[in-house]
Amino acid sequence: MATRDAIIAASAHTPKPADLTYQYGTAGFRMKAAILDSVVFRVGLLAALRSRKLNGQIIGVMITASHNPPGDNGVKLVDPMGEMLETSWEAHATTLANAPSNEALADSYQKLEHDLSINPEAKCQVVFARDTRASGSRLVAALVAGLKVTNAQYTDYKLMTTPQLHYITRCLNTQGKPFAYGEPTEKGYYEKTAAAFEKAMQGRKHNGGVTVDCANGVGGPKLRELIKYLPTVAGGGLQIKVVNDDVLQPDRLNYQCGADYVKTGQKAPPSSQATPLARCASLDGDADRIVYYFIDSENVFRLLDGDRIATLAALFIGDLIKHAGLTEKLKLGVVQTAYANGASTDYVTQYLGVPVVCTNTGVKHLHHAATKFDVGVYFEANGHGTVVFSEVALKRIAKYQPQSPAQASALETLRALTELINQTVGDALSDLLLVEVILAHKGWGPSEWNLTYTDLPNRLVRVEVKDRNIFKAVDAERKLESPPGIQNQINALVGKYKNGRSFARASGTEEAVRVYAEAATRGEADDLATKVAGLVKQYGV
């Protein structure tokens, strides 16, 4: 139980800056690390409330700013099954974060406790981890202060990737239950992932190795650790070359490397020394995103982003379902956002014959939509995504009796994928191994993968604005309903370009609007993006 006086006294060590307003967004709270202390303390209070509300189930807290610069940091909560914080609680997080004084914070805390019918004497448990940012240890201290004042039981898992913390949270909450998720340790994560990878490979040979750029973030040491559990190269295992894994110099995090650098700039990191047709991949700072890329035979950079990973996964899993004899028992679907390349959507719906659902940006929206399918594949174009299997699907896959050796082989691979894929959240390490399994089974290199469809040329532009909140999107963020009149002008511009499509969307983490455009040619896509960005700037002054 947290008394009012105790909260006031503890909060006094991390007072809220008077001139700032915080908002819990798609990535939790994320901003300059120097102004985050009060927020993280208050997240500690909220995590305790959330656990008590859920009868003592374990809540996760991750301190990370993903692909942001080293001077930033962030904090987000993880619900018991490893999913994002329930949407209705985002408002509670924002309320606590913006309480203007220590006294107002204590009042807000007790009001939430009352309004949500939370027993202040109930048990609460929290686990947390952080990435490699220099500010992480200081912010952990603020979090612990919030947990202590609420008498929460807590465990510090130190340095982890974000997906590992999601995995741990789900494992702890499913121990001893049907479909227990795994051993709730970092070692358990490696052992489960490696065993499933080896089983899914079914003796297939890899077509060369893969070079992985780890953004100089926590994914570097964790990938090196995972490699220790994988089959050796001498024993026919995958050769993984780890680059950009310097975590001893925090300022190098995400600097000219990482998934966001590659995706946004449409180019390889300067440190990349890839030879033509060699497979390369880049993680982001907390290893929940991955994109692939390669240099083709004409020395042209080719990006294989989240759209490409989603279509590859849908192709392979769809084939496995068919060959296992489960077509009538499992419904496969793909979930995308407005950022998905139009050519990828056409490929999935027209060539694969798989339904596609479009949602708002943010993994919580995609994850929720994916759970509506028996097997839901979701990836954002930035490389953040996974595959989720419903409880019904897992039971059917586990119990189905194959009618032939071919069905048995497909079923064994499908079962292994349910273990290999981190179903709690996008996980760059397990997604890396998923892609490598698929390429090995199909006997493909990156060029064959790239030939599945031709991307429409596209451009993403960031426009700084005075107030991002005036840009209100509808229709899965594909249209703006405000400012009044802007959408009609965007429509008029789009109509001038062959295969033109463009939308503008307020950033969830900064005072900016992101403009996406695609068209039949590179020049037209760039021109359309520039003109729509000009409109946004005009309205956003």
Side-chain angles (χ1 to χ4, degrees):
M1 178 176 179
T3 67
R4 185 174 187 277
D5 289 345
I7 290 175
I8 292 171
S11 179
H13 295 288
T14 53
K16 177 188 177 294
D19 56 341
L20 294 176
T21 300
Y22 301 108
Q23 184 174 346
Y24 196 101
T26 54
F29 294 109
R30 191 179 292 178
M31 64 205 71
K32 294 295 182 186
I35 55 173
L36 197 57
D37 297 69
S38 67
V39 172
V40 176
F41 170 79
R42 295 165 187 219
V43 164
L45 302 183
L46 187 74
L49 285 174
R50 181 70 176 152
S51 178
R52 287 194 169 106
K53 178 63 179 176
L54 298 178
N55 302 312
Q57 289 189 81
I58 295 160
I59 298 299
V61 178
M62 185 69 198
I63 296 175
T64 180
S66 187
H67 59 280
N68 282 36
D72 291 359
N73 216 324
V75 61
K76 56 186 174 183
L77 285 89
V78 180
D79 261 358
M81 289 302 286
E83 72 272 48
M84 299 296 185
L85 177 67
E86 183 184 305
T87 303
S88 65
W89 275 68
E90 293 179 5
H92 305 326
T94 300
T95 296
L96 289 182
N98 289 300
S101 67
N102 302 326
E103 292 76 15
L105 172 63
D107 292 341
S108 293
Y109 178 89
Q110 293 189 329
K111 185 176 188 301
L112 280 175
E113 204 170 52
H114 175 269
D115 292 351
L116 297 169
S117 302
I118 294 171
N119 177 5
E121 302 291 346
K123 179 181 180 182
C124 65
Q125 304 176 84
V126 178
V127 296
F128 60 88
R130 64 183 178 90
D131 68 13
T132 56
R133 292 165 193 273
S135 58
S137 56
R138 188 190 82 241
L139 295 175
V140 161
L143 176 66
V144 168
L147 296 174
K148 282 183 174 178
V149 78
T150 55
N151 295 313
Q153 297 176 22
Y154 62 86
T155 304
D156 181 359
Y157 280 87
K158 310 294 184 184
L159 294 176
M160 272 192 164
T161 70
T162 293
Q164 286 178 330
L165 194 273
H166 283 254
Y167 165 88
I168 291 284
T169 304
R170 182 161 177 170
C171 288
L172 289 169
N173 284 299
T174 58
Q175 275 184 304
K177 299 178 182 177
F179 293 105
Y181 199 60
E183 178 65 31
T185 63
E186 189 175 333
K187 182 171 182 281
Y189 169 90
Y190 297 132
E191 288 178 339
K192 177 183 178 180
T193 304
F197 175 66
E198 187 168 10
K199 187 176 178 184
M201 283 294 299
Q202 289 201 9
R204 300 298 200 285
K205 299 299 181 186
H206 297 283
N207 183 11
V210 59
T211 297
V212 184
D213 153 33
C214 296
N216 293 317
V218 67
K222 301 310 181 185
L223 176 55
R224 286 195 182 278
E225 192 63 26
L226 173 59
I227 290 170
K228 296 176 184 177
Y229 293 81
L230 298 176
T232 63
V233 175
L238 174 65
Q239 182 171 20
I240 302 175
K241 180 183 178 183
V242 179
V243 298
N244 293 328
D245 63 335
D246 181 1
V247 296
L248 299 179
Q249 299 182 67
D251 287 347
R252 295 190 64 184
L253 175 67
N254 294 320
Y255 179 69
Q256 294 190 337
C257 60
D260 194 60
Y261 176 89
V262 172
K263 169 65 177 171
T264 304
Q266 303 269 319
K267 59 185 177 183
S271 57
S272 174
Q273 298 177 359
T275 55
L277 303 182
R279 290 195 306 287
C280 299
S282 284
L283 321 182
D284 68 340
D286 64 338
D288 65 357
R289 294 187 192 181
I290 184 169
V291 296
Y292 270 72
Y293 51 94
F294 70 105
I295 307 299
D296 70 14
S297 56
E298 297 179 357
N299 212 35
V300 176
F301 172 84
R302 301 291 182 184
L303 177 67
L304 299 160
D305 61 5
D307 293 343
R308 292 281 181 177
I309 297 172
T311 54
L312 184 70
L315 167 65
F316 186 62
I317 293 172
D319 283 347
L320 290 178
I321 290 172
K322 177 183 175 183
H323 295 147
L326 288 166
T327 303
E328 300 302 317
K329 297 180 182 295
L330 297 178
K331 183 180 180 184
L332 172 66
V334 173
V335 184
Q336 296 181 324
T337 72
Y339 287 109
N341 194 281
S344 73
T345 309
D346 290 345
Y347 174 79
V348 174
T349 56
Q350 296 175 21
Y351 180 75
L352 300 184
V354 173
V356 171
V357 172
C358 187
T359 73
N360 285 0
T361 302
V363 70
K364 64 183 179 184
H365 301 298
L366 287 99
H367 190 97
H368 179 72
T371 61
K372 305 297 184 186
F373 295 101
D374 294 319
V375 184
V377 179
Y378 75 84
F379 274 84
E380 294 182 287
N382 63 24
H384 192 160
T386 189
V387 183
V388 291
F389 296 81
S390 71
E391 198 168 312
V392 169
L394 290 171
K395 287 178 181 176
R396 287 176 177 167
I397 291 168
K399 293 181 178 180
Y400 184 72
Q401 295 297 317
Q403 305 300 307
S404 68
Q407 283 193 0
S409 176
L411 190 63
E412 183 180 351
T413 303
L414 188 59
R415 286 171 178 164
L417 292 190
T418 68
E419 295 289 311
L420 173 62
I421 296 164
N422 186 343
Q423 296 179 51
T424 66
V425 73
D427 184 340
L429 302 188
S430 71
D431 289 341
L432 169 76
L433 297 183
L434 170 64
V435 169
E436 292 301 325
V437 164
I438 298 172
L439 294 180
H441 271 262
K442 298 193 77 64
W444 284 0
S447 55
E448 289 85 0
W449 178 10
N450 189 55
L451 287 172
T452 49
Y453 62 87
T454 302
D455 273 321
L456 286 168
N458 60 89
R459 180 62 70 205
L460 183 62
V461 178
R462 177 181 173 275
V463 184
E464 291 188 6
V465 294
K466 195 170 184 180
D467 180 10
R468 61 181 158 161
N469 294 312
I470 69 170
F471 294 88
K472 298 193 183 301
V474 293
D475 188 22
E477 301 176 323
R478 290 175 286 192
K479 296 177 182 176
L480 286 174
E481 66 174 4
S482 73
I486 190 172
Q487 187 59 49
N488 288 337
Q489 291 181 264
I490 292 174
N491 292 344
L493 286 172
V494 168
K496 297 176 181 178
Y497 297 86
K498 184 181 178 182
N499 296 333
R501 183 171 74 93
S502 183
F503 65 91
R505 165 189 172 270
S507 169
T509 57
E510 55 187 342
E511 289 298 347
V513 171
R514 302 190 189 281
V515 171
Y516 177 88
E518 61 186 32
T521 68
R522 164 60 61 201
E524 289 177 310
D526 290 345
D527 194 45
L528 178 56
T530 300
K531 287 180 177 175
V532 175
L535 269 181
V536 168
K537 200 165 189 67
Q538 178 185 326
Y539 277 87
V541 173

